[in-house]
Amino acid sequence: MSRGISLAPCGLVIERVESEADKLVLVARPMSKTAVCPTCGGVSTHVHSQYQRALSDLPSQGRLVRIKLCTRRFRCAVTECHQKIFTERLEATTSRPFARRTRRLEGIVHHVGLALGGRPGQSIARCLLLPVSKDTLLRVVRRNAPRPDLAPRVVGIDDWAWKRGHRYGTIICDLEKRRIIDILPDREAATVTAWLAEHPTISVIARDRGAGYIRAAGEGHPEAVQVADRWHLMENVSAAFLSAVQRSMRAIRTAVGAGVVDPTLLSCAERRQHVGWLRRQEENAAILALASQGIAIKEIVRTDPTPSRRSTLAI
Ligand SMILES: [Zn+2]
């Protein structure tokens, strides 16, 4: 396929070129026969499986260009490595891992975003046959912005589910940069204390109101200001409010005169609920009337006017 080689981004071999109405499709594969495990750095030649990955590339001849890339999964040959299977990575100059654009297209998108911003950049990008939205333009600019690697000052600490309901760790975020800093293997106070002790620049710790993280923050950084984070405060307030309302529902209904319900104002689901509630009220009244006449419970059950509902009744 020498005809197509010049079209290929670095490190790819083009198998064939398919021409569609408004775009060219390059069917390609990586040039390398081996892949490097991203976890241990071991080189592997054992292909496990493959799948097709789609990449957008620079336009050509007035048409969009899509690359259908045959991507392989490899088995890691290093016995001690916990990453048994991994997906091969392209060269850094070709594409980022899991990206949907080639690096050279992303470079153009970045420059358009820098020069024009979101919405104006989107209009120009459309004219240049660059398949990106205004949000993507801004995202690419942000992603490529230099990040000063300052030590964290304000952090948030919370539970992190490795497997929900089974295994939990601790997630620590830099609240100023809005980035995850670290994920600890468990949520033990001692682990969090040790982590905080290694980061003396922290001055504010946002955490939930559980005793574990309060103790960890106090021991790891006694001088830091501890604050209950907004999400947990709102969650606790919401739960407390609902609980208080539910406890006082009878009094509230009486106070607002909501004992009388207009069925025409209810939705279908609310109407069904209301009809069920009326039926239960009627059954309870009938049972209480029989009980007041001195009739035994067993006898009431036998003479209940709505036997199908007998199991749900309560005196
Ligand atoms: Zn490995």
Side-chain angles (χ1 to χ4, degrees), residues 36-42 75-84 86:
V36 176
C37 173
T39 303
C40 68
R75 294 182 194 280
C76 182
V78 179
T79 318
E80 297 78 22
C81 180
H82 67 83
Q83 180 99 42
K84 300 303 175 200
F86 64 89

Side-chain angles (χ1 to χ4, degrees), residues 99-151:
R100 295 162 70 182
R101 284 177 292 277
T102 57
R103 185 69 84 170
R104 59 190 188 184
L105 173 60
E106 179 130 331
I108 300 291
V109 170
H110 181 215
H111 285 298
V112 171
L114 272 180
L116 300 171
R119 202 178 296 275
Q122 181 180 323
S123 305
I124 296 297
R126 199 175 295 136
C127 298
L128 296 173
L129 295 177
L130 303 177
V132 288
S133 66
K134 59 183 189 307
D135 294 330
T136 301
L137 283 164
L138 297 179
R139 204 163 38 240
V140 170
V141 169
R142 279 194 210 104
R143 186 188 300 139
N144 290 287
R147 290 177 176 163
D149 196 20
L150 300 175

